[in-house]
Amino acid sequence: GLRPPGFVRTLDRGATWQHQPLLLDQPGPTGLVDIEVDPTDPLHYIGLLGGTHETGYGVVTSSSDSGEHWSEPFPGPFLCPPDGELVVDPLQPESLYQKAELRFGACQNFCSNLRSTDSGQSWDCMHLPGDILRHIQPSPFERGVVLGAGYLKLFRSADSGVSWTTVAERPSYLSSNGGDIAWSDAHTAYVTSDAAGIYASFDAGLTWSARSEPPNQPQIARLANLIA
């Protein structure tokens, strides 16, 4: 978990927790905005830093020793501070995705959805037809398949985010906290919506159908916690 300027970690499956300061080989960017663990190597952490005007924003760094030390950050791809989120492909840990809620008008012409195939050294813009991704979830079962939830649509990519296809037009799905995605197996995926409940796909995200009515509570908990 995050605890600026560092983070909180456990090395004994949650029995005890310790605060770990952020020790960068080269100081500059601000503290961690997001942190992910490499699914193929539990000692390898990938961190998203806040950044500065000099370094750029959406800066990526990594640690090979459970967060004791961190590499020199790569330059950030954003021109102003995003409300960012970092996603690691579980089958291709060198493939990273960033989504950004850009809050300043001067940045609106800059790309909000990025992909990297070299662990964050460089980034390419992902162009979505008429939308911006709020949630990105690569399949942990099939290499290259990625689902994305936008403000108005659901998207699917079969080539690790190079190109995207609209798989559902869904303006009623989305509200302030909707669109969280989780995979259950190679064929089954779920997406939440505060307004429309839970939708499911049984063909790896190609088609979707409603599975529940909207809940009475104003928000749905993160979908990952609902899928056993």
Side-chain angles (χ1 to χ4, degrees):
L2 299 181
R3 184 182 174 187
F7 62 99
V8 178
R9 68 178 183 179
T10 178
L11 302 177
D12 52 14
R13 298 186 177 183
T16 60
W17 293 82
Q18 57 183 283
H19 177 250
Q20 178 66 29
L22 180 64
L23 302 176
L24 295 171
D25 288 347
Q26 178 176 325
T30 56
L32 287 166
V33 175
D34 197 5
I35 186 170
E36 298 289 336
V37 179
D38 184 339
T40 65
D41 180 2
L43 299 180
H44 182 209
Y45 293 1
I46 305 166
L48 179 64
L49 300 170
T52 67
H53 288 294
E54 289 73 25
T55 64
Y57 295 92
V59 178
V60 170
T61 181
S62 64
S63 170
S64 59
D65 55 9
S66 300
E68 293 287 343
H69 302 88
W70 295 81
S71 67
E72 178 179 342
F74 299 120
F78 293 113
L79 303 179
C80 56
D83 293 328
E85 181 182 10
L86 182 68
V87 178
V88 180
D89 189 322
L91 299 182
Q92 306 172 94
E94 71 281 1
S95 294
L96 308 178
Y97 300 88
Q98 275 201 64
K99 71 96 179 176
E101 304 281 345
L102 296 175
R103 295 168 291 174
F104 300 96
C107 299
Q108 290 303 314
N109 292 329
F110 199 70
C111 185
S112 292
N113 298 126
L114 301 174
R115 62 185 288 272
S116 172
T117 58
D118 55 13
S119 301
Q121 297 183 57
S122 61
W123 296 88
D124 297 318
C125 183
M126 296 190 297
H127 296 283
L128 282 299
D131 210 341
I132 295 173
L133 294 182
R134 303 179 70 203
H135 297 280
I136 304 169
Q137 191 62 57
S139 170
F141 305 100
E142 184 175 354
R143 191 180 182 93
V145 174
V146 188
L147 297 179
Y151 282 91
L152 300 174
K153 306 173 185 177
L154 271 174
F155 297 92
R156 184 182 190 273
S157 174
D159 52 15
S160 300
V162 175
S163 59
W164 294 85
T165 301
T166 301
V167 291
E169 301 275 354
R170 50 178 211 137
S172 63
Y173 281 36
L174 294 174
S175 58
S176 60
N177 295 285
D180 201 23
I181 304 167
W183 289 88
S184 178
D185 57 45
H187 304 288
T188 309
Y190 299 88
V191 63
T192 61
S193 165
D194 293 351
I198 297 175
Y199 279 67
S201 172
F202 301 102
D203 52 12
L206 292 172
T207 60
W208 294 83
S209 59
R211 307 304 295 176
S212 74
E213 295 297 323
N216 292 326
Q217 63 268 30
Q219 297 182 5
I220 297 179
R222 288 188 60 84
L223 187 59
N225 296 327
L226 302 178
I227 307 302

